[in-house]
Amino acid sequence: MSQNELSLSEQQQIRIEKLKELREAGVNPYPSSFEVTHHTDEILRNEVALLAENPEQTEGVTKVSVAGRLMTRRVMGKASFFTVQDSKGTIQVYIRRDDIGSDSYNHTFKKLIDIGDIVGVRGFLFKTRTGETTVHAEEFVLLSKCLRPVPTPKEVENEAGETIVYDAFSDKEQRYRQRYVDLFVNPEVRDVFRKRSKMVRLMREIMDDRGFLEVETPILQPVYGGASAKPFVTHHNALDMQLYLRIANELYLKRLIVGGFDGVYEFSKDFRNEGLSRFHNPEFTQVELYVAYKDYRWMMEFVESMLERIAVELHGSSKVSVGGHVIDFQAPFPRVPIFEAIQKVIGVDLSDKSDTDLFRIAKEHGLELDPNASRGKWIDDFFGEFVEPTLIQPTFMVDYPVEMSPLAKKHTENDRLVERFELICNGKEIANAFSELNDPLDQRARLETQAALRGKGDEEAMGVDEDFLRALEYAMPPAAGVGIGIDRLAMIMTNSESIRDVLFFPLMRPEHLDGS
């Protein structure tokens, strides 16, 4: 016996034996195709036009052909009921020995078919005596044999009359690792991803209707930039050069604005070498948009109108239930200067404080600052600790200090600030935007400051991208740019508590399969 066979569970071994029996009986357990004429939701929507008058009726009715996973079954002698789950829902099937033949029913269906198998059914519709719409099977086909037992919840009523559920596929880590099982055992999970997909389609539609161009930019970059983050590092063998997985696509999109496009956007996979949390996955999705001749005030209006429309399209209202809160995306959102927000909570205006003062104030409030980080990072630490978690309704935090925003244009009224906003909702940032810095000399000075911080040990500081600076020297028009976190926005729009709930395959620690 092989090592693989030894590692199989008893249930797996039984199913593999059934697979052998099927093949010996001339049944192909993995045929190439099956023609599907109806999905379950279509059948249930149009059942009146499709229904037969009784289960014995075989002539003059519309035939249906459905396929999906067998999820439950009740075997009752010469006839049985089972349910088929397809991508749209679940429907009951009635199957009889007299219709599909004695061998197919008694041997194949009753003995060799298991819950979890993918099956195809051809027949007609009728209603049972209990009123359930059901497919009367005239033909039954095995389409794919399932070799692992499917976790199916069982409901038992205890002595107190309470319903207890056993064997539910509810362990979070197991569900994330085996999303393929989660999706059919807990089919409501599919609705989360359908809603996420609709959200992205709406965003794309809104930007396309404005005439903005969807583009693609490099994921492998010789110089990373566009955000403060630690990158993933890789190596290109043929060129013998170090490359980085992008942390943002900002600097490439701005090059396209220099090239003459009035508006460009990209739904991008970005990568940041950071820890895992309820709000962080090292691989994440965001959309970045850059529009020429606009500023961050225009972008605030654009973003809030977009999110209001998304909420209405997904939920029928601007109000969205998230956890214990009702979040209202009706525009306009409040605009609050960041220093005012911090002062309101801790009672101190940090805008004119020295570095020494910042460390003293932080210590007084139980906050530890990294001495190797920038002043901007220290201000961000105050904001993240004392303000951000309190902002549940969508709120634009505006007018950040220059030190926090090396790619943003200085404020028209105060050159110690920049024209920037972060949109905070449900206690976390979901969007970040600037009036984009287009002065190449100012930009060089700020990037050199960032490079110096990185040299002192700040791993998240940016470097100097000479090609980007060269692009700015050819003149970039005034522009507004924004990055919106798709995963975090999806968490809100689907009432999901963790970023892993809105990612099909979140990053997990390795598991040991086959006992290795």
Side-chain angles (χ1 to χ4, degrees):
M1 183 176 291
S2 69
Q3 181 64 41
N4 184 55
E5 288 176 315
L6 287 171
S7 67
L8 295 176
S9 69
E10 181 182 357
Q11 284 295 319
Q12 286 175 274
Q13 292 179 26
I14 290 171
R15 289 184 179 228
I16 288 175
E17 286 301 316
K18 290 182 179 181
L19 181 67
K20 293 177 182 177
E21 285 191 55
L22 285 163
R23 286 185 164 133
E24 290 170 357
V27 176
N28 180 1
Y30 301 105
S32 298
S33 64
F34 182 84
E35 183 182 2
V36 175
T37 63
H38 296 76
H39 285 93
T40 54
D41 64 334
E42 180 186 1
I43 290 173
L44 297 175
R45 282 198 311 268
N46 302 301
E47 61 179 25
V48 174
L50 298 171
L51 278 172
E53 294 181 2
N54 61 72
E56 306 300 321
Q57 182 176 358
T58 60
E59 301 296 331
V61 294
T62 302
K63 301 299 175 72
V64 299
S65 176
V66 299
R69 193 177 296 274
L70 191 154
M71 295 301 293
T72 64
R73 70 175 185 168
R74 289 178 289 137
V75 177
M76 303 177 298
K78 299 178 182 179
S80 302
F81 286 95
F82 62 92
T83 58
V84 170
Q85 180 191 103
D86 65 10
S87 63
K88 306 295 184 181
T90 301
I91 196 163
Q92 180 171 265
V93 178
Y94 173 67
I95 188 169
R96 300 190 309 178
R97 183 191 65 187
D98 293 346
D99 292 316
I100 69 168
S102 179
D103 285 347
S104 293
Y105 183 78
N106 290 329
H107 185 250
T108 303
F109 177 76
K110 291 178 69 173
K111 295 182 179 179
L112 303 180
I113 297 299
D114 293 296
I115 288 175
D117 290 351
I118 308 295
V119 300
V121 175
R122 295 187 180 97
F124 58 89
L125 292 188
F126 74 100
K127 275 191 182 291
T128 64
R129 278 177 289 185
T130 60
E132 184 169 356
T133 301
T134 303
V135 179
H136 184 131
E138 295 178 306
E139 184 180 356
F140 174 86
V141 183
L142 174 63
L143 300 176
S144 185
K145 183 65 183 167
C146 178
L147 299 184
R148 286 180 176 266
V150 172
T152 52
K154 303 173 184 64
E155 294 185 356
V156 178
E157 190 171 294
N158 63 17
E159 296 178 355
E162 301 168 325
T163 299
I164 308 298
V165 178
Y166 295 94
D167 299 327
F169 194 64
S170 56
D171 179 79
K172 282 284 191 180
E173 181 164 328
Q174 191 177 25
R175 289 175 57 198
Y176 297 146
R177 288 189 186 281
Q178 300 180 38
R179 183 68 82 189
Y180 38 88
V181 178
D182 188 32
L183 290 167
F184 69 78
V185 173
N186 300 308
E188 68 278 2
V189 173
R190 298 183 200 172
D191 292 333
V192 170
F193 291 97
R194 288 192 180 101
K195 197 168 287 186
R196 175 186 170 125
S197 179
K198 183 176 181 180
M199 181 187 83
V200 170
R201 288 200 308 273
L202 284 168
M203 298 175 84
R204 185 172 270 117
E205 177 184 319
I206 290 167
M207 290 184 286
D208 287 345
D209 287 347
R210 294 285 189 115
F212 305 146
L213 180 70
E214 184 171 9
V215 300
E216 294 180 347
T217 63
I219 294 175
L220 290 174
Q221 301 179 352
V223 181
Y224 67 91
S228 296
K230 186 178 180 181
F232 286 94
V233 183
T234 188
H235 185 84
H236 190 280
N237 291 335
L239 295 176
D240 191 22
M241 65 182 293
Q242 181 170 279
L243 293 169
Y244 305 94
L245 297 184
R246 70 179 168 203
I247 61 174
N249 49 349
E250 174 170 345
L251 303 188
Y252 283 91
L253 293 176
K254 286 180 181 178
R255 287 169 167 92
L256 299 181
I257 296 296
V258 172
F261 290 109
D262 283 341
V264 292
Y265 72 91
E266 180 177 14
F267 285 90
S268 63
K269 280 287 190 181
D270 293 333
F271 308 85
R272 297 180 184 177
N273 204 344
E274 59 191 11
L276 301 170
S277 80
R278 194 160 64 92
F279 295 98
H280 295 86
N281 193 69
E283 175 186 356
F284 63 98
T285 304
Q286 67 174 336
V287 60
E288 290 201 37
L289 165 69
Y290 293 83
V291 184
Y293 309 111
K294 304 297 184 183
D295 66 3
Y296 80 136
R297 298 172 185 85
W298 178 91
M299 189 61 80
M300 276 189 270
E301 294 177 0
F302 176 80
V303 169
E304 64 191 0
S305 67
M306 173 187 280
L307 297 190
E308 181 178 11
R309 179 177 166 186
I310 289 170
V312 171
E313 292 274 358
L314 294 182
H315 299 279
S317 166
S318 62
K319 295 180 179 180
V320 179
S321 294
V322 182
H325 304 287
V326 175
I327 297 176
D328 194 347
F329 284 95
Q330 183 175 2
F333 305 159
R335 281 97 161 125
V336 182
I338 186 170
F339 282 121
E340 288 185 16
I342 296 171
Q343 182 176 2
K344 184 176 180 181
V345 176
I346 69 171
V348 181
D349 180 5
L350 301 182
S351 63
D352 58 354
K353 295 296 183 288
S354 67
D355 293 356
T356 302
D357 288 337
L358 291 179
F359 271 84
R360 174 182 55 77
I361 296 166
K363 185 175 181 180
E364 291 172 355
H365 288 82
L367 176 64
E368 185 175 346
L369 302 180
D370 179 0
N372 292 321
S374 66
R375 178 182 174 85
K377 179 66 168 60
W378 298 335
I379 300 298
D380 194 38
D381 287 343
F382 275 98
F383 174 73
E385 179 70 20
F386 301 113
V387 180
E388 189 174 38
T390 70
L391 299 174
I392 303 302
Q393 298 303 320
T395 304
F396 288 120
M397 302 306 303
V398 301
D399 301 345
Y400 283 64
V402 171
E403 298 90 344
M404 285 182 70
S405 313
L407 298 170
K409 188 184 288 287
K410 288 183 179 178
H411 202 286
T412 53
E413 298 173 5
N414 184 342
D415 63 7
R416 295 171 59 194
L417 305 177
V418 294
E419 295 189 347
R420 173 187 177 185
F421 73 76
E422 285 186 303
L423 177 59
I424 312 298
C425 183
N426 200 36
K428 280 294 177 182
E429 172 205 341
I430 60 172
N432 186 27
F434 313 142
S435 295
E436 300 298 334
L437 178 57
N438 59 343
D439 178 341
L441 301 181
D442 188 0
Q443 184 65 88
R444 176 177 290 279
R446 293 206 225 168
L447 289 181
E448 288 175 347
T449 299
Q450 286 284 303
L453 289 169
R454 190 164 65 172
K456 293 180 179 179
D458 186 347
E459 294 183 312
E460 295 188 351
M462 283 182 251
V464 178
D465 186 334
E466 289 291 349
D467 181 69
F468 171 63
L469 292 171
R470 178 171 59 188
L472 289 188
E473 288 167 0
Y474 279 101
M476 184 178 82
V482 67
I484 301 174
I486 298 299
D487 307 323
R488 288 187 182 177
L489 182 58
M491 287 174 61
I492 294 170
M493 291 297 174
T494 62
N495 191 17
S496 298
E497 66 178 18
S498 170
I499 195 170
R500 296 181 176 188
D501 294 326
V502 297
L503 300 175
F504 275 126
F505 305 107
L507 184 65
M508 307 285 290
R509 292 186 184 277
E511 64 173 331
H512 296 296
L513 299 174
D514 300 325
S516 60

